[in-house]
Structure formats: structure tokens, C-alpha cells
Amino acid sequence: MKLFILVALFGLCLAQHNPHIQHGRTSIVHLFEWRWADITAECERFLGPNGFGGVQISPPNEHIVLNSPWRPWWQRYQPVGYNLCSRSGNENELRDMITRCNNVGVNIYVDAVINHMCGAGAGEGTHSSCGSWFSAGRKDFPSVPFTQSDFNDHKCRTGSGEIENYGDANQVRDCRLVSLLDLALEKDYVRDKVADFMNKLIDMGVAGFRVDACKHMWPGDLSAVYGRLHNLNTEWFSGGSRPFIFQEVIDLGGESITSTEYFHLGRVTEFKYGAKLGTIFRKWNGEKLSYTKNWGEGWGFMPNDNALVFVDNHDNQRGHGAGGAAIATFWDSRLHKMAVGFMLAHPYGVTRVMSSFRWNRHIVNGKDQNDWEGPPSHGDGSTKSVPINADQTCGDGWVCEHRWRQIKNMVIFRNVVNGQPHSNWWDNQSNQVAFGRGNRGFIVFNNDDWDLDVTLNTGMPGGTYCDVISGQKEGSGCSGKQIHVGGDGRAHFKISNRDEDPFVAIHADSKL
Ligand code: AAO
């Protein structure tokens, strides 16, 4: 009996690691700050047809609205309650999005901010996205309701009430993160309220959650919250499916809290991945692409089954969070495409692609003065919708990296090679490398300052393939380079270091 319970519990935990992505798809895209109506349209017109598995959405619950600075993106990380109206839209729009994205096989993952409410200095009034009254000073949030005793201040042992030292696990979990009012998740009442909020979303049809600021919550408290969660809605998911949980824990080493403490609860964001990959593609600190032969666990990253990986995220693309200047963002588009291409070709982890908006980046002494700027918006602060240009790119300040041909095609590549091993590695001991995924796909990078000109064993069946980076298969033709694989699996590759994108990728479905 005991063994049975143990096995059942183990199964339950592991279940929260499964993203429940449909139809053999493999990648998630973070549509940062997009409106629900735009995400709905994007699921139907682009994400579904192009094999994207899911969307991470911005926090859907009620948040503060700030005038100074003017409507920063980060106001959404300051909850006022769990009513479902936000800068992205109201509850009906949210429900419509979840339904219609699910109907085209694109899952929705909610960014859940459950560690805290708004900042202690957020004042009192109805400056919130649904207009609910709250008082930060009195710690009074009647729309939930949460009152004074639902917060952790009595547990915090620092003079300021703030986290002062990341080396002390107690203060990281019991004190305030950048003055945000810290919820007492040890209380059953608080756990219930948080779980009610998440369950409402699960019942609406979401597939899981990115849980914000997990380092700042005790694993035991999180386990109690997750344990209260419903199974996924059987209209779209098979019976007994647990919500997918991926937890934001920044662990670059050297602190008292490690990501390991959260592995049994769900997946964890692997921040080392983007920090290292950016350093490699920038060739900083003597790093070389050839060193990625044992990329993944071989680099000291977390076990494959625990990892959620990404090249950049909404924080570190603008200097928040961790990773530093090495992070390869859309501002360095050539590097970004290569890094995302590498990530999507490599078998390690569940992959998340970033989709950003432009802001007036202005770096002074290493700090971006406009790192707060919110999404493209109208004069009244409401978020602009995302217009699609004739060439399929986005307008009005929306970057839409996920629509860039190279990135979109690599999302498809990952689906086509899903389940195949990392194979046929080649490198020049510098920054030219190639690897395959069984007999389903092959990719070659040239990040050296000279040309690549080499014949390699691809492991692919003979034939002519269309390179999905310089172009793509269009009907029976190819708008990019053509790669001829001989009957022996060998093919000749030539990549100039001056090419717009110095990499080439072919896969089973790009065969002409
Ligand atoms: C805003 C204002 C604040 C104000 C507050 C309340 O900026 O001045 O006090 O409102 O009025 C976002 C924004 C914040 C914003 C907040 C609320 O980024 O600027 O505050 O909304 O509106 C830590 C957390 C991590 C967190 C990250 C930003 O551990 O969870 O900070 N990320 C999430 C979200 C994020 C959001 C929140 C949490 C809050 O993704 O968007 O904040 O909901 C170390 C630690 C990390 C720590 C970083 C930054 O990292 O390890 O745990 O992240 O410091 O403090 C090297 C180290 C690396 C280190 C890094 C930076 O790289 O190796 O470990 O340096 O020092």
C-alpha cells in the first residue's frame, strides 16, 4: 500500500513536467504583453498552421495601473486581485482566446504571479485594471479578499523588510522582493485563494502555468498550492492530465537557493542556458561553438526532463533578472537567429521562443534608462493591436521574432526531428559546427570569421533538400539554397561568414 502511494505521488509530480503539447508540436512562444484578441487571431492565422505548440501569456489577473512611469510593462507583476481583466483584455476575451487557441491545437500557459501583491508604496484607490479598490499601505485587497494577516511581514527578519541578502534563504522567501507585498503562502486560506484563481483558468482550458518568482516561495508551500489544482479540462486534454508547471527560479550558481529544490514540483527555467549560449555566439570569455558538443547536462545544466529553456526572456532582454550583457536579443538579430536556431535544433529541454515589442533602448553606463517602457500603446495607455504587414512581419513596434522565417522554420524543424537523437556531430575546433537529429534533420553553423566549405555526413536519406534558413520549400520549389545529399548521406556545405544568416538547416519535410 505504502509503495502504491509512493508510486502514485511520484507519477503525480512527474505529470506536472509534461507540457501536454498537441499533435507532435514542441515549442512555446511568449507573446509578451499581447492583447487576448490578437493572440486569438495569431493562433488561428499563424501559430496553428506553423506548428507552434503553445503560448505563454502575460498575467491575466487584475494589476495596478501606474502613471509614473507611464504604464510600465512591469505593472502586471503587481497584482491587486484575481479578477480576470488586465491590460490584455477582459474575461470574455480571455475565454474566447483559450477556446479558439485550443481548437487549433495551441495551448495556453498563464504567467501566474502568486508570490506577492503590489508594491508596498502603490498607494490606495482604484488605480487597477478592473477598477477594484485596494490599499497597499493597509495591505487590504477586498476583491480577493486579502488583509494584513495574509502577508509575511511578521516572518521577515531583515531591518528593511526587504530581501537584503540572496545568500540567506529565509529572507529570500519571507521578505519582500523589490518591496512587493509578500503573501503568506503557509496559510491554508491564502493557498485556497491562489488555487481558486488557478483552477478557474484550468477550468477555462489553459494547459499550465509559468509560476513567477518561485525562488521567493517555499517549495512546501508551492507543493500545497499545486496539490489543490484541478486536472486539465477534458474538452481538450485527456482525462487525468495534470497542469504543466514551469517555475521561474534564477539559478546561475553561488546562492543559498538552487533550482534543484523545485525539480519534483514541475519544470524549472534554466537561466544558465541563455547566458552561456549568448556568450558562445558572441565568442566572449574564449568560448567557442565547438565546445557545445556536449551541450545540455554536460554543461552542468539541470536534467533534461526538468528544463525549460530560452535564449532570452522579457526580463533579461532589458537588463532585469539575470544573464547580463551576453544575452542574445532581437536587438542583435543575426546573433539572435543563430542562437534560437541552435536551441531549436538541439534536443535539450522544452523550448520557449521570445516575441517582443520594441522600446526606446537607451543604455547609459550599462543600464537601460527605458527598461520600464510598456508595449506599443495609444495615448490613453491602452495597448495597440498587432498589425500584420504584407511580408508577414508585424508593425507598430511589435517585433514578432516568432514570425521571422528562420525562427518559424526552426520551430517546424524541431517538430520534424522530435524524438531523434543528437547525431553526426562535426566541428572545426573553432566556431563551425554541424549536427543532425537521426535521419530527420541536419544543421550547420559558421560563426567563424572565414568561410565554411566542407563535405559532411548528414545521416539523411539521399536527395535534394531546401535550406529552411535562406528560404523554404514553396510548393515543389525552393526559395533558398539547395543541398544535395548523396546516397551515402554525405553533402557539401558552403557558408560564407558574410551570409545574412551564416547557417543552413534541412529536414525530412524540406526534401524537394
Ligand atoms: C518594480 C520596480 C521596483 C519597485 C517595484 C515595486 O522596478 O523598483 O520596487 O516595482 O514597486 C518585474 C520587474 C521589476 C518590477 C516588478 C514589479 O522586473 O522591476 O519592480 O516587476 O512591478 C529577481 C527574482 C525574479 C524576478 C527578477 C526580476 O528572483 O523572480 O528579480 N523575475 C520575476 C519576473 C519579473 C517581475 C517579478 C519577478 C516580480 O520575471 O518580470 O519583476 O513579479 C539575482 C538573483 C535573482 C534576482 C536578480 C534580480 O540575479 O539571483 O533571483 O531576480 O538578482 O534582482 C548576476 C547573478 C544573478 C543575479 C544577477 C542580478 O547575473 O549571477 O544571480 O546578477 O544581480
Side-chain angles (χ1 to χ4, degrees):
M1 185 63 189
K2 265 187 192 152
L3 185 71
F4 174 76
I5 294 176
L6 259 179
V7 169
L9 278 176
F10 186 66
L12 194 72
C13 290
L14 276 186
Q16 287 167 182
H17 297 72
N18 180 347
H20 301 297
I21 298 183
Q22 323 255 10
H23 314 303
R25 301 175 186 192
T26 51
S27 294
I28 296 172
V29 56
H30 182 195
L31 296 180
F32 179 46
E33 283 281 8
W34 281 44
R35 295 160 64 251
W36 308 148
D38 289 310
I39 296 178
T40 308
E42 192 70 351
C43 282
E44 293 176 345
R45 72 190 163 203
F46 188 83
L47 301 177
N50 287 296
F52 283 78
V55 181
Q56 178 185 320
I57 62 168
S58 285
N61 57 302
E62 185 165 19
H63 55 85
I64 58 163
V65 174
L66 283 176
N67 295 328
S68 179
W70 179 248
R71 311 286 200 257
W73 62 268
W74 43 252
Q75 63 184 18
R76 298 183 72 170
Y77 290 89
Q78 300 198 32
V80 159
Y82 301 129
N83 290 329
L84 296 175
C85 40
S86 66
R87 189 175 197 173
S88 289
N90 62 33
E91 184 170 335
N92 285 335
E93 292 163 319
L94 178 70
R95 188 182 297 277
D96 188 50
M97 174 192 77
I98 295 167
T99 303
R100 288 166 61 184
C101 288
N102 278 341
N103 286 346
V104 293
V106 180
N107 292 349
I108 299 294
Y109 304 99
V110 170
D111 194 346
V113 184
I114 60 173
N115 170 64
H116 52 262
M117 299 299 276
C118 63
E124 178 172 306
T126 54
H127 48 298
S128 52
S129 54
C130 319
S132 299
W133 182 90
F134 69 97
S135 168
R138 280 188 270 156
K139 296 180 217 163
D140 191 9
F141 298 88
S143 80
V144 183
F146 283 142
T147 53
Q148 190 112 18
S149 62
D150 298 319
F151 293 86
N152 260 338
D153 300 81
H154 63 287
K155 276 180 89 183
C156 173
R157 297 273 168 270
T158 63
S160 62
E162 294 286 314
I163 299 166
E164 294 173 359
N165 172 11
Y166 273 86
D168 174 354
N170 289 306
Q171 47 173 288
V172 174
R173 273 129 177 195
D174 294 338
C175 298
R176 295 175 182 174
L177 164 65
V178 293
S179 101
L180 299 160
L181 296 173
D182 204 53
L183 283 168
L185 277 165
E186 66 182 12
K187 290 181 67 176
D188 276 329
Y189 174 77
V190 176
R191 292 170 176 178
D192 284 340
K193 287 294 170 189
V194 167
D196 286 350
F197 157 59
M198 296 170 83
N199 278 330
K200 179 164 182 182
L201 292 158
I202 290 173
D203 295 347
M204 287 166 82
V206 307
F209 302 90
R210 174 236 185 220
V211 185
D212 183 67
C214 286
K215 184 190 280 183
H216 307 281
M217 295 181 274
W218 293 96
D221 291 345
L222 284 173
S223 173
V225 170
Y226 301 161
R228 283 164 161 80
L229 298 182
H230 297 167
N231 288 336
L232 298 185
N233 187 322
T234 51
E235 194 172 335
W236 295 287
F237 304 97
S238 46
S241 300
R242 295 300 294 155
F244 177 45
I245 301 281
F246 58 106
Q247 308 168 96
E248 189 226 11
V249 180
I250 299 176
D251 178 6
L252 295 177
E255 287 181 20
S256 57
I257 297 171
T258 63
S259 47
T260 329
E261 296 170 50
Y262 297 84
F263 287 171
H264 62 295
L265 298 170
R267 287 194 183 242
V268 181
T269 50
E270 178 49 280
F271 274 80
K272 290 174 188 158
Y273 192 101
K276 288 291 182 196
L277 201 57
T279 309
I280 291 164
F281 275 100
R282 290 179 193 280
K283 299 183 258 189
W284 287 358
N285 305 345
E287 291 289 5
K288 291 178 182 166
L289 202 46
S290 60
Y291 299 161
T292 62
K293 185 173 184 180
N294 63 343
W295 186 245
E297 291 164 17
W299 271 63
F301 301 162
M302 62 183 70
N304 180 34
D305 294 342
N306 285 109
L308 185 293
V309 299
F310 47 95
V311 168
D312 62 333
N313 79 348
H314 72 281
D315 283 325
N316 63 19
Q317 66 172 200
R318 47 173 55 70
H320 288 230
I327 299 298
T329 72
F330 71 87
W331 294 108
D332 299 302
S333 60
R334 194 169 186 261
L335 273 187
H336 185 71
K337 285 179 277 182
M338 278 197 274
V340 174
F342 182 92
M343 171 181 82
L344 291 170
H346 196 279
Y348 179 81
V350 168
T351 45
R352 179 180 63 193
V353 170
M354 181 68 202
S355 188
S356 319
F357 58 80
R358 249 166 240 288
W359 70 96
N360 295 298
R361 192 165 69 139
H362 179 53
I363 297 174
V364 179
N365 296 328
K367 156 100 174 105
D368 187 343
Q369 305 302 301
N370 294 326
D371 64 345
W372 58 271
E373 267 182 31
S377 45
H378 300 286
D380 64 357
S382 61
T383 303
K384 284 188 178 172
S385 66
V386 182
I388 307 300
N389 301 322
D391 66 356
Q392 296 302 308
T393 59
C394 300
D396 262 355
W398 298 98
V399 182
C400 291
E401 297 93 310
H402 69 286
R403 277 179 166 261
W404 295 358
R405 182 191 64 243
Q406 301 83 346
I407 292 179
K408 173 204 71 171
N409 284 343
M410 286 307 297
V411 166
I412 295 169
F413 178 107
R414 189 175 191 78
N415 295 344
V416 173
V417 304
N418 192 16
Q420 297 290 320
H422 187 254
S423 53
N424 293 299
W425 173 268
W426 169 84
D427 68 70
N428 71 342
Q429 302 191 335
S430 183
N431 293 289
Q432 300 180 349
V433 306
F435 62 90
R437 295 292 303 278
N439 60 2
R440 299 280 293 167
F442 195 74
I443 192 163
V444 189
F445 290 89
N446 178 12
N447 199 33
D448 271 324
D449 298 328
W450 58 89
D451 292 352
L452 172 149
D453 192 343
V454 67
T455 296
L456 299 171
N457 181 17
T458 66
M460 308 271 292
T464 301
Y465 293 81
C466 185
D467 167 33
V468 300
I469 304 303
S470 56
Q472 60 196 10
K473 199 172 141 185
E474 314 265 6
S476 55
C478 170
S479 57
K481 296 180 186 171
Q482 296 193 16
I483 305 294
H484 305 282
V485 177
D488 58 357
R490 291 168 68 79
H492 180 240
F493 294 91
K494 202 170 157 65
I495 306 176
S496 163
N497 62 312
R498 293 171 310 277
D499 279 357
E500 183 189 339
D501 299 300
F503 62 118
V504 165
I506 56 174
H507 58 71
D509 289 355
S510 82
K511 194 170 182 194
L512 296 169

